[in-house]
Amino acid sequence: MKIENIYAQNFYLATIMRHIDGDTTVMTCDLGQHVTITHPEGYRWLGIDAMPLRSAEGDHALRALNELLPPGSQCLVRTVKTARGSEEREKYGRFLVEVWSLDGVTCYNDLLVQRGLVRAYTGRGPRPSSTEKIHGA
């Protein structure tokens, strides 16, 4: 994907503060026009589900995420818009985001699924059970 105007495409420059688990990250975001969310906000990665922490798979996903995007690194995030045009939040109030490399080539959400670190999950229907084997793990 070629990104020419990140803000027009709902992309924002983000700085990783810390990862909570394999699918939730605390970041600060530059919203453009000299507006930055400096109070760290929790973001839920769209379309994926990580195993809980304290499980081998969940701990492995968190370690891998910390290696891939360590605290202090920058990335692009794209928010999900509702039909009314506002950013969508999930049931715990976190914004739903896709996380991308700065050049817009790599979607980290997809990469985590491809590497077998998390499972694809649409947020609808039953969540994958913690006993299901993660593809490629």
Side-chain angles (χ1 to χ4, degrees):
M1 169 186 301
K2 184 170 179 173
I3 300 173
E4 295 178 13
N5 181 344
I6 64 171
Y7 303 111
Q9 297 178 35
N10 300 326
F11 280 95
Y12 305 102
L13 181 63
T15 301
I16 305 292
M17 304 305 288
R18 66 187 174 98
H19 300 288
I20 304 294
D21 57 24
D23 56 27
T24 305
T25 299
V26 176
M27 306 180 235
T28 59
C29 278
D30 176 352
L31 304 179
Q33 298 183 1
H34 309 291
V35 177
T36 302
I37 298 174
T38 57
H39 176 68
E41 178 93 30
Y43 294 87
R44 175 71 162 80
W45 291 45
L46 180 68
I48 66 171
D49 184 50
M51 301 300 331
L53 293 179
R54 297 189 187 95
S55 70
E57 297 91 350
D59 292 344
H60 179 65
L62 180 59
R63 279 192 306 276
L65 196 52
N66 276 309
E67 290 174 12
L68 189 62
L69 287 167
S73 61
Q74 291 189 312
C75 59
L76 295 177
V77 295
R78 180 162 56 180
T79 58
V80 176
K81 299 281 189 176
T82 65
R84 295 184 308 251
S86 62
E87 276 82 9
E88 186 171 342
R89 291 182 183 246
E90 45 81 90
K91 66 182 178 180
Y92 298 109
R94 299 170 294 191
F95 287 108
L96 295 171
V97 296
E98 291 176 341
V99 181
W100 290 78
S101 58
L102 288 174
D103 61 8
V105 172
T106 304
C107 177
Y108 292 117
N109 304 51
D110 294 341
L111 183 65
L112 294 176
V113 172
Q114 291 166 2
R115 290 187 178 176
L117 298 166
V118 298
R119 290 170 295 201
Y121 177 59
T122 64
R124 297 196 172 122
R127 287 180 75 177
S129 96
S130 60
T131 58
E132 288 179 23
K133 184 173 175 66
I134 297 175
H135 175 70

